[in-house]
């Protein structure tokens, strides 16, 4: 298929300065110029009004009687008081005018690019999978704004006034360039979730590991090439928990052979982002979560969003500022008797979702960027950070519209939230292609009367059974590993009653001013022997094991990692820079004899898989991608509580790198800690 844009064939550079949800491109320059001109005009108006007020005030001052010569009479005092009241009134009028102008300016600056609710993230049906590698360039301005995705207003941090962020759609082999201008109050960064970053580890966006954050008022450019992968990915901030404040969006990579890798042909392709949603800033919630005596009681969400929207009942939320007149239920228009691909991404902070489309079975055809042979289900469990593609057939004859239900698995929540609505719904609407435009402009839709499935919702947070998911491109995990590492994951209550997450004896704390990658390169280059290990293992010489566990693996090796989860919560474990083989998962304790019966001919490869509560997961990793790579629980609260460690692959190559000057400059800025998690020391000495 050919691209709609003929310039794609004649130019190797494609500028996508401001990409909307339908894949259209436009320049931000005109909008910024108009906004600048408008603000300049407001400023001049304010100065004129201020000058006029000042002039009036000077005239009044000159008419006042001299204190040195005025007679001490009651009439003169009354006259003086009148003059003073006139001056105060004039000043008040001036301030009111200025305030109104400033308020108008704020409203104009705060216009949110809202999802329409009608198929906001549909992929280009005429995408050219065979086009030559190109550069896809984006310009993002980060701002703090007030927004009401479900009707309830809350402070958010957005990309180009848009939530969720713009979709990046590209081909394998393309180069992505993203210019970030951080005009928000907090420092930030962007991690490209699932992207290998082979040869560009310093663009991985992990604060304290591969970069310092982008300070408020500063700019930074990410540039990396997509090599050796395709499928469904996403991006999000990796500074504190601010991703859930709005800094996230989809990243879709097409393969030349995509049509053959997907074994079921489909007519349409769309992204559906599912997330839990909080009505308060996550930074404030994080402070409460990490304070003494909390015992890992994660903040419970207030609700959920599909592609950034939902509709809440404002009458039930009288304690909140709420207006749901601009909210909508997400709707997906499908042509009857055709197949349709849905790319589900859990972009949330905490909740696992169980997803279904009433009265429709569907085939799972992709997991975390790995195309798999179709396997049919009617419910899909998806944890934070995970992605699944499904293909459904729009051939059910009982109705024309059906509920899409995404239900949180609330049994995993430690507390109750009276504001919580745990199920969010969207609508699948059958329509003829000729009716789509009319449907998109028509807000009215038939309320579905579709039936839910009879089975109860899962009451345990854990991955769906993926043993049936077989990769289309077979890669065996045969042979014995070169190294075996054991990790115990759990939460412990330590000094000052602080509950923190641990891998073995290490609880991670981010150093926003000194990333571990930078320190390793500096130490290795200086010939510091602590950075060179004779054999692969935990490097507790160069790194402080208490707060920074680094497993250093020399050369390309195959390593097995067993994670024993001693916690009563599920941990979806995400590895940066790689996909790993999921060899086995289970409850209780791992039995080493399982090695004898494992099918290692072609196990599932993915970048995020879960160790269930009081369970375990065994994964296999080939360390063929040089770099410093984070491995952490993708529940945002758990990462900030310390449940993160690092793998250093090919240190002999990493030590020879020269980091870009732009990366080094990030660490020299002021305000790097803004938006980061709190330091434990703020509670030291607090015995209350």
């Amino acid at each position: 298929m050919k691209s709609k844009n003929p310039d794609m064939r004649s130019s190797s550079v494609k500028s996508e300065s401001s990409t909307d949800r339908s894949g259209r491109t436009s320049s931000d320059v005109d909008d910024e110029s108009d906004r600048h001109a408008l603000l300049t005009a407001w400023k001049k108006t304010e100065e004129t009004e201020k000058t006029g007020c000042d002039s009036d005030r000077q005239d009044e001052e000159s008419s006042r009687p001299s204190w040195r010569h005025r007679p001490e009479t009651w009439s003169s005092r009354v006259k003086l008081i009148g003059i003073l009241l006139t001056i105060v009134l004039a000043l008040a009028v001036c301030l009111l005018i200025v305030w109104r102008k400033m308020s108008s300016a704020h409203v104009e600056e705060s216009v949110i690019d809202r999802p329409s609710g009608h198929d906001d993230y549909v992929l280009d049906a005429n995408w050219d999978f065979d086009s030559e590698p190109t550069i896809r360039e984006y310009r993002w301005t980060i701002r703090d704004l007030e927004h009401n995705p479900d009707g309830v207003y809350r402070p958010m941090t957005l990309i180009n006034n848009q939530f969720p962020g713009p979709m990046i759609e590209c081909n394998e082999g393309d180069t992505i360039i993203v210019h970030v201008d951080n005009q928000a109050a907090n420092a930030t960064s962007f991690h490209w979730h699932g992207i290998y970053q082979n040869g560009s580890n310093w663009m991985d966006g992990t604060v304290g590991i591969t970069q310092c954050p982008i300070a408020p008022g500063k700019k930074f450019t990410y540039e990396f090439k997509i090599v050796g992968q395709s499928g469904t990915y996403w991006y999000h901030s990796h500074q504190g928990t601010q991703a859930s404040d709005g800094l996230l969006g989809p990243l879709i990579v097409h393969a030349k052979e995509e049509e053959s890798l997907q074994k079921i042909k489909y007519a349409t392709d769309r992204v559906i982002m599912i997330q839990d949603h909080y009505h308060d800033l996550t930074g404030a919630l994080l402070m409460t979560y990490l304070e003494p005596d909390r015992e890992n009681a994660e903040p419970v969400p207030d609700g959920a969003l599909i592609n950034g929207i939902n509709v809440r009942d404002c009458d039930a939320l009288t304690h909140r500022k709420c207006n749901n007149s601009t909210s909508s239920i997400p709707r997906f228009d499908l042509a009857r008797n055709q197949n349709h691909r849905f790319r589900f991404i859990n972009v949330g902070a905490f909740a696992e979702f169980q997803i279904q489309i009433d009265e429709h079975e569907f085939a799972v055809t992709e997991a975390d960027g790995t195309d798999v042979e179709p396997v049919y289900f009617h419910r899909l469990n998806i944890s934070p950070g995970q992605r699944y593609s499904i293909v459904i057939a729009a051939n059910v004859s009982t109705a024309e519209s059906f509920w899409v239900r995404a239900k949180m698995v609330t049994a995993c929540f430690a507390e109750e939230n009276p504001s919580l609505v745990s199920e969010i719904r969207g609508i699948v609407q059958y329509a003829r292609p000729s009716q789509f435009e009319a449907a998109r402009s028509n807000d009215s839709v038939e309320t579905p009367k579709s039936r839910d499935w009879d089975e109860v919702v899962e009451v345990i947070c854990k991955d769906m059974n993926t043993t049936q998911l077989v990769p289309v491109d077979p890669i065996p995990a045969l042979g014995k590993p070169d190294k075996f590492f054991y990790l115990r994951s759990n939460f412990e209550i330590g000094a000052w009653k602080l509950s923190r997450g641990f891998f073995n004896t290490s609880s991670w704390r981010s150093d926003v001013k000194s990333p571990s990658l930078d320190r390793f390169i500096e130490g290795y280059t200086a010939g510091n022997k602590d950075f060179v290990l004779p054999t692969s293992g935990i490097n507790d010489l160069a790194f402080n094991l208490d707060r920074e566990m680094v497993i250093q693996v020399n050369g390309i090796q195959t390593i097995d990692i067993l994670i024993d989860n001693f916690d009563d919560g599920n941990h979806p474990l995400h590895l940066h820079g790689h996909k790993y083989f999921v060899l086995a998962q289970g409850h209780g304790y791992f039995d080493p004899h399982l090695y004898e019966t494992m099918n290692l001919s072609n196990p599932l490869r993915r970048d995020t898989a879960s160790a269930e509560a009081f369970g375990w997961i065994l994964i296999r990793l080939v360390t063929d991608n040089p770099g410093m790579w984070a491995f952490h629980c993708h529940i945002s609260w758990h990462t900030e509580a310390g449940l993160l460690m690092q793998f250093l692959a090919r240190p002999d190559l990493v030590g020879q790198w020269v980091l870009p000057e732009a990366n080094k400059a990030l660490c020299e800025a002021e305000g790097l800690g803004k938006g980061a998690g709190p330091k434990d020391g703020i509670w030291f000495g607090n015995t209350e």
Side-chain angles (χ1 to χ4, degrees):
M1 294 184 287
K2 298 300 180 183
S3 171
K4 290 181 178 178
N5 185 356
D7 293 338
M8 286 288 294
R9 296 188 292 274
S10 59
S11 172
S12 62
V13 179
K14 180 176 181 180
S15 177
E16 303 189 19
S17 301
S18 178
T19 306
D20 68 15
R21 294 171 173 80
S22 301
R24 296 186 297 271
T25 61
S26 63
S27 172
D28 287 336
V29 175
D30 293 340
D31 291 342
E32 291 297 328
S33 298
D34 292 344
R35 189 177 296 115
H36 178 72
L38 188 57
L39 290 174
T40 302
W42 280 329
K43 186 175 181 181
K44 289 181 178 178
T45 302
E46 292 166 11
E47 290 174 350
T48 301
E49 290 167 343
K50 288 180 180 178
T51 301
C53 291
D54 291 342
S55 176
D56 292 344
R57 187 167 62 251
Q58 289 171 3
D59 292 342
E60 289 163 354
E61 291 282 358
S62 64
S63 66
R64 290 167 55 184
S66 169
W67 280 96
R68 187 173 298 172
H69 303 292
R70 64 175 174 76
E72 294 293 329
T73 63
W74 281 106
S75 61
S76 63
R77 290 181 181 179
V78 171
K79 183 178 181 181
L80 177 60
I81 293 172
I83 292 172
L84 290 174
L85 288 174
T86 302
I87 293 172
V88 171
L89 182 60
L91 286 172
V93 171
C94 288
L95 289 172
L96 180 61
I97 293 172
V98 171
W99 178 81
R100 284 179 174 174
K101 293 296 183 182
M102 292 179 66
S103 298
S104 299
H106 175 72
V107 170
E108 184 67 24
E109 275 288 292
S110 301
V111 172
I112 304 295
D113 182 5
R114 297 176 180 273
S116 68
H118 296 173
D119 277 329
D120 296 295
Y121 289 89
V122 176
L123 304 188
D124 186 352
N126 295 315
W127 188 268
D128 186 358
F129 302 127
D130 296 316
S131 65
E132 291 298 315
T134 187
I135 295 174
R136 301 184 187 273
E137 192 166 7
Y138 304 81
R139 298 185 183 278
W140 294 354
T141 300
I142 313 304
R143 297 186 180 92
D144 295 319
L145 300 168
E146 187 180 55
H147 183 31
N148 59 334
D150 60 356
V152 176
Y153 286 91
R154 54 151 296 178
M156 300 191 74
T157 307
L158 307 183
I159 302 168
N160 296 347
N161 293 18
Q162 181 176 326
F163 176 70
M167 179 165 63
I168 295 177
E169 187 175 5
C170 66
N171 283 337
E172 181 182 351
D174 287 350
T175 296
I176 305 298
I177 299 177
V178 180
H179 304 282
V180 179
D181 180 2
N182 184 14
Q183 295 300 316
N186 289 327
T188 192
S189 76
F190 283 98
H191 168 58
W192 317 94
H193 186 109
I195 299 301
Y196 293 153
Q197 298 290 358
N198 196 320
S200 54
N201 181 213
W202 50 88
M203 291 291 165
D204 190 51
T206 317
V207 171
I209 298 177
T210 60
Q211 73 165 85
C212 292
I214 308 167
K218 298 298 182 180
K219 300 178 181 180
F220 183 71
T221 296
Y222 291 95
E223 181 174 349
F224 52 91
K225 188 174 183 178
I226 308 290
V227 179
Q229 62 185 132
S230 61
T232 306
Y233 303 93
W234 62 299
Y235 60 83
H236 58 85
S237 170
H238 222 289
Q239 168 84 326
T241 55
Q242 66 181 204
S244 289
D245 293 330
L247 296 181
L248 57 87
L251 196 168
I252 307 301
V253 182
H254 296 288
K256 288 184 179 296
E257 63 277 15
E258 183 167 302
E259 292 179 335
S260 62
L261 290 171
Q262 285 287 298
K263 297 303 181 182
I264 300 177
K265 306 306 177 187
Y266 45 83
T268 63
D269 191 357
R270 54 179 49 78
V271 173
I272 302 180
M273 290 170 282
I274 306 289
Q275 69 180 108
D276 47 26
H277 183 58
Y278 295 84
H279 290 155
D280 296 293
L281 272 172
T282 57
L285 296 172
L286 181 63
M287 285 288 292
T288 301
Y289 168 65
L290 293 177
E291 68 185 11
D293 267 339
R294 288 294 295 169
E295 298 191 20
N296 190 32
E298 303 92 345
V300 175
D302 295 293
L305 305 174
I306 294 178
N307 284 349
I309 57 175
N310 192 10
V311 181
R312 291 297 299 268
D313 179 6
C314 292
D315 292 338
L317 298 166
T318 55
H319 61 297
R320 298 281 186 181
K321 177 184 176 183
C322 185
N323 176 8
N324 61 17
S325 63
T326 57
S327 305
S328 59
I329 296 175
R331 190 171 104 203
F332 311 101
D333 296 325
L334 306 184
R336 179 181 277 282
N337 296 323
Q338 292 185 347
N339 295 327
H340 305 273
R341 182 177 182 176
F342 287 11
R343 300 173 185 253
F344 284 105
I345 311 174
N346 186 337
V347 298
F350 179 31
E352 177 180 336
F353 282 89
Q354 193 167 70
I355 300 170
Q356 68 180 57
I357 303 170
D358 284 0
E359 303 180 38
H360 289 74
E361 285 195 335
F362 50 77
V364 173
T365 62
E366 180 212 359
D368 291 2
T370 298
D371 296 286
V372 297
E373 300 289 346
V375 180
Y376 283 86
F377 299 87
H378 60 263
R379 277 187 174 151
L380 178 77
N381 278 50
I382 185 168
S383 292
Q386 292 183 332
R387 293 91 64 206
Y388 287 101
S389 282
I390 69 168
V391 176
I392 71 165
N395 58 5
V396 176
S397 58
T398 57
E400 294 294 315
S401 62
F402 305 85
W403 287 120
V404 179
R405 305 175 194 258
K407 306 175 183 180
M408 299 184 201
V409 185
T410 58
C412 307
F413 296 170
E415 300 177 330
E416 292 187 0
N417 180 353
S419 296
L420 171 65
V421 175
S422 61
E423 178 179 322
I424 181 173
R425 297 185 185 185
I427 297 175
V428 160
Q429 177 73 41
Y430 285 1
R432 292 189 299 274
S434 59
Q435 298 173 319
F436 283 169
E437 283 303 319
R440 290 190 182 100
S441 61
N442 183 8
D443 290 332
S444 63
V445 63
E446 177 186 352
T447 300
K449 298 180 177 60
S450 55
R451 294 179 293 103
D452 192 355
W453 295 99
D454 294 333
E455 298 92 337
V456 297
V457 176
E458 183 69 70
V459 294
I460 299 175
C461 284
K462 63 178 183 179
D463 283 347
M464 61 185 292
N465 182 5
T466 59
T467 56
Q468 301 176 62
L469 301 184
V470 178
V472 172
D473 181 18
I475 299 179
L478 302 175
K480 293 183 178 180
D482 299 304
K483 284 284 185 178
F484 179 92
F485 293 99
Y486 174 82
L487 298 176
R488 183 184 69 253
S489 67
N490 65 303
F491 275 75
E492 300 176 7
I493 299 177
W496 307 110
K497 302 179 183 179
L498 298 178
S499 177
R500 296 294 180 263
F502 286 82
F503 280 123
N504 296 349
T505 61
S506 180
S507 185
W508 183 69
R509 299 293 182 274
S510 172
D511 188 339
V512 298
K513 298 180 179 180
S514 181
S516 51
L517 175 64
D518 298 44
R519 278 182 277 124
F520 176 80
I521 294 174
E522 182 179 353
Y524 191 96
T525 304
N528 187 331
K529 294 182 179 180
D530 289 347
F531 292 87
V532 182
L533 297 183
T535 60
S536 300
I538 296 175
N539 187 342
D540 57 359
L541 299 175
F543 303 97
N544 182 351
L545 183 59
D546 288 343
R547 58 180 295 152
E548 194 173 38
M549 178 193 286
V550 177
I551 293 180
Q552 193 163 315
V553 184
N554 298 327
I556 299 177
Q557 296 192 31
T558 298
I559 62 174
D560 281 6
I561 305 130
L562 174 65
I563 300 95
D564 250 340
N565 183 12
F566 283 72
D567 184 32
D568 60 358
N570 181 55
H571 296 307
L573 298 168
H574 173 55
L575 176 61
H576 293 212
H578 299 77
K579 286 187 176 70
Y580 48 71
F581 294 102
V582 181
L583 299 187
Q585 295 167 278
H587 191 72
Y589 292 97
F590 171 70
D591 182 357
H593 293 293
L594 285 176
Y595 267 114
E596 301 170 5
T597 58
M598 288 180 188
N599 182 0
L600 304 180
S601 60
N602 186 23
L604 179 63
R605 307 181 299 275
R606 66 185 317 173
D607 56 58
T608 309
S610 296
E612 65 176 278
F614 303 116
W616 55 270
I617 183 171
L618 179 66
I619 63 176
R620 177 165 292 183
L621 172 65
V622 179
T623 60
D624 57 358
N625 190 7
M628 188 76 77
W629 305 108
F631 180 63
H632 63 97
C633 177
H634 216 279
I635 291 175
S636 300
W637 313 113
H638 294 178
T639 301
E640 291 305 306
L643 208 55
L644 180 150
M645 51 84 61
Q646 302 166 65
F647 287 98
L648 173 56
R650 299 300 305 274
D652 55 324
L653 296 181
V654 175
Q656 300 176 41
W657 288 348
V658 177
L659 293 177
E661 290 300 320
N663 283 66
K664 297 177 183 178
L666 287 175
C667 301
E668 302 299 322
E670 297 293 330
L672 297 179
K674 293 182 176 181
K679 296 183 182 298
D680 290 350
I682 67 173
W683 289 291
F684 290 177
N686 182 3
T687 58
E688 296 182 0

